[in-house]
């Protein structure tokens, strides 16, 4: 070091102050005001303050600040309004690059927080603080800890987490829930509806599921979707459940003493429900509404606490219990509480030959059959058990009742329609969709005599063979009728038969994916109850162009091969669920002939026949030939 240059000791030179102290002070006031109110916009103001501290040039107005990060139209407009007010109070020539006399210096906080809230800490000070934390010390600026996401009480996310947690506590539970059953189980725990948005809003309580997935609390798999808790979600749900139990066990007086605004609103809601109870039971029955155990809690063997023992429904208070909670009958329809209604696809009443389709409607009306025309995504006719709902005084229409689909569905085919569907490939696709629609009794209603097939594109023998295959191979019940009048007569007889068959049965709602849990011959065994799918879930699951899994697309690809039926495709999928697994198996084969015979020994159908070398070779050529097939 040259001797002429003096050596400097002591503190380092301070960094220059912000050249826009007035804007900095206004942003500080906005941030502190938002922080007192608990608004998240305080973080946006803090980011704008950090950007303004780094900018070394003076600003003439707030519009020039748009070039800085975190300065949007909203913040610039607020600063411009404050600037105009400043000019009106201090004159048009008032300086904006210095603070008024007596004002606190910019960057000072107006509350007793720690030094981490200062607006313009030097970068070296931050570095020193980080180094201090690395050494385990407390010096310097502490990094703000990210706040954990906890859903608000009785919100959509809160209800979903609790429902999935309680379902997992049931011994032998499957560990996941489908959308329909999750919504129905979580609805009593949520104040908003999972299906109907509030007035003026497009969001429902189900919208919070995307937030749970984003926060890694919930995982969505398979198609149809299956929802289950992650490890983090399970830990959070367990804490929410413990808080919920503590809240239910706190006496009314104790809750009122420490209640916030939300809890006071909940107690007001309880008081509304409490109008059916007597004066002596009012306080206990209001808590009983909140503390009723769900079906999953009863299945897990939880017993009510001593505080809840006095709230159990008494024999003389049956009416109070039923009016305050509909949970026991939420998923079932008791005998006498529903009607059997025939549902007709709207395609069967519109378009095409208008006279012939209107004749079907007139015949049903003449026979006194109650039917409803609606859009069916699969099949032409089916039957639903519709809940009887009494009209509400003061409302124009009665509320919609629940609908469960009976296990019978009809696909109607005229001879000309059958011929066209065989030619364009719809015949096999419709049978495939009917098999997997969730209903166990598919029926093919073939309309027309053999003479009506004389002038069609396919020979009569081909049509007859297709009808026989539908009954023998696919296992459908086939009913032959001559004309529209006989079709209407058959629908009338079936409607009356099903009304009598189900009149003394308790109908329980089940998920479509759980159809294998119930034996298909329960009607013959005289079971007093049977499980059925809700119409909403049935129609949603039968959408033709819905998102499909790789396995489903692979099955559709295989079924395009001539001679490869649904049973054969299903047998191949059992061994190789995706094209990737099939191609990997081909790569492991040693020779060309081994690849061609890879699928030949796969057994399919009830008779367990081999797939055969011809089809095996065709599939191999389709997926492994690099060029065009010859």
């Amino acid at each position: 070091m040259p001797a002429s240059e003096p050596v400097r000791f002591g503190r380092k030179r301070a960094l220059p102050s912000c050249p826009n102290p007035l804007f900095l002070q206004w942003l500080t006031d906005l941030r502190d005001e938002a922080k007192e109110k608990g608004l998240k916009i305080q973080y946006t103001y803090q980011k704008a303050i950090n950007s303004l501290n780094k900018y070394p040039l003076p600003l003439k107005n707030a519009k020039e600040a748009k070039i800085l990060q975190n300065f949007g139209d909203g913040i610039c407009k607020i600063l411009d309004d404050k600037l105009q007010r400043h000019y009106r109070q201090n004159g048009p020539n008032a300086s904006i690059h210095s603070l008024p006399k007596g004002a606190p210096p910019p960057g000072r906080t107006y509350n007793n927080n720690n030094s981490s809230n200062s607006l313009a800490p030097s970068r070296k000070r931050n570095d020193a603080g980080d180094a201090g934390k690395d050494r385990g010390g407390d010096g310097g600026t502490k990094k703000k800890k990210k706040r954990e996401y906890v859903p608000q009480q009785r919100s959509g996310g809160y209800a979903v987490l609790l429902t999935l947690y309680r379902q997992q506590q049931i011994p032998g539970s499957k560990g996941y829930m489908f959308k329909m059953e999750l919504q129905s189980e979580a609805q009593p725990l949520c104040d908003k509806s999972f299906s109907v948005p509030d007035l003026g809003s497009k969001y429902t309580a189900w919208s919070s599921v995307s937030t749970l997935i984003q926060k890694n609390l919930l995982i969505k798999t398979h198609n149809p979707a299956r929802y289950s808790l992650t490890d983090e979600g399970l830990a959070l749900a367990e804490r929410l459940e413990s808080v919920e139990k503590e809240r239910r066990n706190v006496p009314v007086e104790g809750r009122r003493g420490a209640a916030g605004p939300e809890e006071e609103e909940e107690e007001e809601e309880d008081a509304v429900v409490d109008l059916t109870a007597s004066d002596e039971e009012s306080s206990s029955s209001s808590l009983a509404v909140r503390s009723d155990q769900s079906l999953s809690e009863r299945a897990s063997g939880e017993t009510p606490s001593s505080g809840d023992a006095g709230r159990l429904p008494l024999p003389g208070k049956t009416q109070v219990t039923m009016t305050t909670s509909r949970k026991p009958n939420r998923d079932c329809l008791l005998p006498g509480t529903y009607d059997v209604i025939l549902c007709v696809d709207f395609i069967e009443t519109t378009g095409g030959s208008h006279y012939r389709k209107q004749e079907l409607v007139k015949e049903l009306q003449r026979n006194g059959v109650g039917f409803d025309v609606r859009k069916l995504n699969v099949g032409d006719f089916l039957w639903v058990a519709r809940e009887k709902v009494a009209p509400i005084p003061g409302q124009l229409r009665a509320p919609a009742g629940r609908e469960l689909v009976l296990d019978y569905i009809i696909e109607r085919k005229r001879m000309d329609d059958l011929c066209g569907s065989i030619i364009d490939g719809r015949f096999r696709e419709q049978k495939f969709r009917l098999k997997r629609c969730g209903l166990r009794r598919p029926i093919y209603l073939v309309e027309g005599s053999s003479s009506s097939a004389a002038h069609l594109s396919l020979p009569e023998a081909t049509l007859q063979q297709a009808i026989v295959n539908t009954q023998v191979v696919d296992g459908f019940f086939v009913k032959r009728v001559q004309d529209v009048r006989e079709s209407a007569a058959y629908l009338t007889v079936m409607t009356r038969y099903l009304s009598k068959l189900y009149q003394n049965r308790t109908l329980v709602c089940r998920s479509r994916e759980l159809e294998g849990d119930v034996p298909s011959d329960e009607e013959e065994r005289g079971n007093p109850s049977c499980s059925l799918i809700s119409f909403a879930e049935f129609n949603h699951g039968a959408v033709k162009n819905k998102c499909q899994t790789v396995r489903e697309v692979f099955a559709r690809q295989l079924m395009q091969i001539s001679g490869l039926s649904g049973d054969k495709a299903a047998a191949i999928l059992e061994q190789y669920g995706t094209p990737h697994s099939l191609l990997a198996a081909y790569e492991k084969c040693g020779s060309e002939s081994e690849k061609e015979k890879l699928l030949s020994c796969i057994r399919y159908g009830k008779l367990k026949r081999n797939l055969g070398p011809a089809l095996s070779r065709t599939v191999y050529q389709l997926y492994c030939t690099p060029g065009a097939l010859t």
Side-chain angles (χ1 to χ4, degrees):
M1 180 180 294
S4 59
E5 186 172 337
V7 179
R8 294 182 179 181
F9 297 98
R11 296 182 179 178
K12 294 184 179 180
R13 186 174 55 187
L15 292 177
S17 60
C18 177
N20 302 286
L22 201 58
F23 287 161
L24 189 62
Q25 183 184 23
W26 291 338
L27 287 174
T28 305
D29 295 341
L30 291 171
R31 183 204 61 185
D32 292 341
E33 183 180 353
K35 189 172 184 180
E36 290 176 359
K37 295 180 180 178
L39 302 178
K40 291 186 178 180
I41 199 174
Q42 60 172 309
Y43 306 114
T44 306
Y45 289 136
Q46 182 62 51
K47 291 177 182 178
I49 290 171
N50 295 337
S51 298
L52 189 60
N53 275 318
K54 297 175 184 177
Y55 191 64
L57 301 178
L59 299 171
K60 295 180 180 179
N61 51 54
K63 292 180 180 178
E64 294 183 0
K66 276 192 175 182
I67 62 174
L68 303 179
Q69 280 187 334
N70 305 297
F71 275 82
D73 293 335
I75 292 181
C76 291
K77 186 177 184 305
I78 293 174
L79 293 179
D80 265 335
D81 293 342
K82 288 182 175 292
L83 184 61
Q84 296 302 324
R85 196 179 306 116
H86 175 74
Y87 282 146
R88 285 196 299 269
Q89 293 175 355
N90 302 292
N93 298 324
S95 174
I96 63 172
H97 303 301
S98 61
L99 291 175
K101 293 181 179 180
R108 181 169 300 174
T109 56
Y110 301 102
N111 46 21
N112 298 326
N113 292 340
N114 55 21
S115 61
S116 64
N117 289 328
S118 60
L119 296 178
S122 68
R123 191 169 300 173
K124 293 184 179 180
R125 180 183 168 187
N126 282 339
D127 294 340
D130 292 340
K133 279 191 286 186
D134 292 339
R135 292 190 303 267
D138 296 332
T141 305
K142 291 185 178 180
K143 198 170 183 180
K144 187 173 181 180
K145 186 177 180 181
K146 192 173 181 181
R147 187 172 59 177
E148 182 186 8
Y149 170 77
V150 179
Q152 189 176 3
Q153 193 175 23
R154 296 196 64 79
S155 64
Y158 176 88
V160 168
L161 288 176
L162 275 186
T163 303
L164 286 172
Y165 174 76
R166 293 174 180 177
Q167 196 271 344
Q168 285 193 5
Q169 303 309 305
I170 302 175
S173 67
K174 55 185 181 292
Y176 59 85
M177 296 183 76
F178 297 102
K179 180 178 179 180
M180 299 293 291
E181 60 176 334
L182 180 55
Q183 286 181 338
S184 62
E185 288 288 334
Q187 187 59 70
L189 299 173
C190 181
D191 292 332
K192 290 184 66 176
S193 172
F194 275 93
S195 56
V196 181
D198 292 339
L199 189 63
S201 173
K202 63 179 180 179
Y203 298 105
T204 64
W206 186 253
S207 305
S208 59
V209 170
S210 58
T211 304
L212 297 178
I213 296 175
Q214 182 183 0
K215 300 291 184 181
N216 198 29
L217 301 174
L218 197 68
I219 185 171
K220 175 183 175 183
T221 57
H222 294 81
N223 187 13
R226 299 178 180 180
Y227 298 91
S228 56
L229 292 174
T230 62
D231 293 338
E232 299 176 12
L234 185 62
L236 177 58
E238 189 173 0
R239 284 159 42 200
L240 292 177
E241 177 69 10
S242 62
V243 172
E244 178 73 11
K245 289 181 180 179
E246 291 176 3
R247 190 183 70 87
R248 289 187 305 203
N249 292 336
V250 173
V252 181
E253 292 78 8
R255 274 166 56 185
R256 284 178 181 167
E262 297 175 0
E263 295 173 26
E264 290 177 0
E265 291 178 4
E266 290 175 7
E267 292 189 7
E268 289 178 5
E269 293 175 3
D270 292 341
V272 173
V273 180
D274 234 10
L275 292 177
T276 57
S278 62
D279 295 336
E280 297 80 19
E281 298 290 328
S282 58
S283 60
S284 61
S285 62
S286 63
L287 282 176
V289 178
R290 295 292 185 193
S291 62
D292 275 343
Q293 290 180 320
S294 63
L295 297 176
S296 60
E297 286 180 304
R298 293 171 186 168
S300 62
E302 293 183 6
T303 57
S305 63
S306 58
D308 292 336
R311 304 183 191 127
L312 295 177
L314 300 176
K317 302 297 179 183
T318 306
Q319 183 179 0
V320 177
T321 306
M322 293 304 294
T323 54
T324 55
S325 176
R326 293 180 55 191
K327 212 168 216 181
N329 294 331
R330 190 181 73 250
D331 293 332
C332 66
L333 297 178
L334 301 176
T337 63
Y338 57 86
D339 294 320
V340 174
I341 305 295
L342 171 66
C343 295
V344 182
D345 186 22
F346 76 101
I347 297 295
E348 296 298 311
T349 61
T350 58
S353 178
H354 184 71
Y355 170 76
R356 183 169 60 245
K357 293 188 174 183
Q358 286 302 313
E359 187 179 358
L360 174 67
V361 174
K362 291 179 181 178
E363 286 293 327
L364 290 175
Q365 292 173 343
R366 189 178 296 116
N367 295 339
V369 177
F371 66 93
D372 187 16
V373 178
R374 61 180 70 178
K375 177 177 174 58
L376 301 179
N377 291 324
V378 63
D380 297 322
F381 306 96
L382 56 83
W383 289 265
V384 297
R386 180 186 294 170
E387 182 184 17
K388 296 178 182 178
V389 180
I392 299 176
Q395 291 189 3
L396 181 62
R397 298 177 181 175
R402 293 168 293 171
E403 291 182 336
L404 301 181
V405 185
L406 306 187
D407 272 327
Y408 294 81
I409 183 170
I410 291 181
E411 178 72 26
R412 178 188 175 202
K413 289 289 183 186
R414 299 187 311 275
M415 278 297 186
D416 56 344
D417 188 20
L418 178 63
C419 177
S421 63
I422 293 175
I423 292 174
D424 61 19
R426 285 184 294 114
F427 185 59
R428 285 200 303 168
E429 183 200 10
Q430 287 173 346
K431 290 193 296 183
F432 179 73
R433 293 177 62 213
L434 280 172
K435 281 183 177 180
R436 55 192 299 271
C437 72
L439 305 184
R440 295 185 282 261
R441 303 299 178 89
I443 300 173
Y444 249 81
L445 183 63
V446 182
E447 186 179 298
S449 59
S450 57
S451 60
S452 60
H455 305 288
L456 298 178
S457 303
L458 295 178
E460 181 184 352
T462 303
L463 299 179
Q464 297 295 341
Q465 185 63 52
I467 295 172
V468 172
N469 289 344
T470 300
Q471 184 166 8
V472 176
V473 179
D474 298 310
F476 290 12
F477 177 78
V478 177
K479 175 66 178 177
R480 300 291 299 269
V481 294
Q482 295 295 322
D483 52 18
V484 178
R485 182 170 297 181
E486 288 192 11
S487 296
Y490 179 71
L491 293 174
T492 303
V493 172
M494 280 293 298
T495 303
R496 293 170 182 170
Y497 165 74
L498 293 176
S499 299
K500 186 177 180 180
L501 179 65
Y502 286 91
Q503 65 181 355
N504 295 322
R505 294 177 184 266
T506 299
L507 308 182
V508 182
C509 181
R510 65 174 166 87
S511 177
R512 176 185 171 189
E513 287 74 18
L514 305 179
E515 58 191 86
D517 295 349
V518 181
S520 60
D521 59 346
E522 61 183 2
E523 287 86 2
E524 286 74 15
R525 294 188 293 109
N527 196 341
S529 66
C530 57
S531 57
L532 303 173
I533 307 171
S534 68
F535 178 80
E537 183 179 4
F538 163 79
N539 220 26
H540 176 73
V543 175
K544 187 175 182 179
N545 295 323
K546 67 175 183 178
C547 296
Q548 296 179 327
T549 61
V550 176
R551 183 184 180 90
E552 290 173 334
V553 175
F554 188 30
R556 293 171 69 92
Q557 286 180 350
L558 291 174
M559 290 179 63
Q560 300 306 311
I561 301 174
S562 178
L564 210 158
S565 63
D567 292 339
K568 296 177 182 178
I572 295 176
L573 289 175
E574 288 181 4
Q575 299 286 336
Y576 310 101
T578 61
H580 179 269
S581 60
L582 180 61
L583 294 176
Y586 281 133
E587 291 179 358
K588 293 179 181 179
C589 296
S591 61
E592 195 76 12
S593 60
E594 187 178 352
K595 294 179 180 179
E596 292 181 354
K597 296 178 182 179
L598 177 66
L599 307 178
S600 59
C601 296
I602 293 180
R603 299 183 178 273
Y604 71 93
K606 296 179 180 179
L607 300 179
K608 298 299 179 183
R609 294 178 177 175
N610 289 335
L611 199 64
L615 270 179
S616 178
R617 187 184 311 110
T618 303
V619 174
Y620 166 69
Q621 291 175 351
L622 174 65
Y623 284 96
C624 295
T625 302
L629 296 176
T630 56

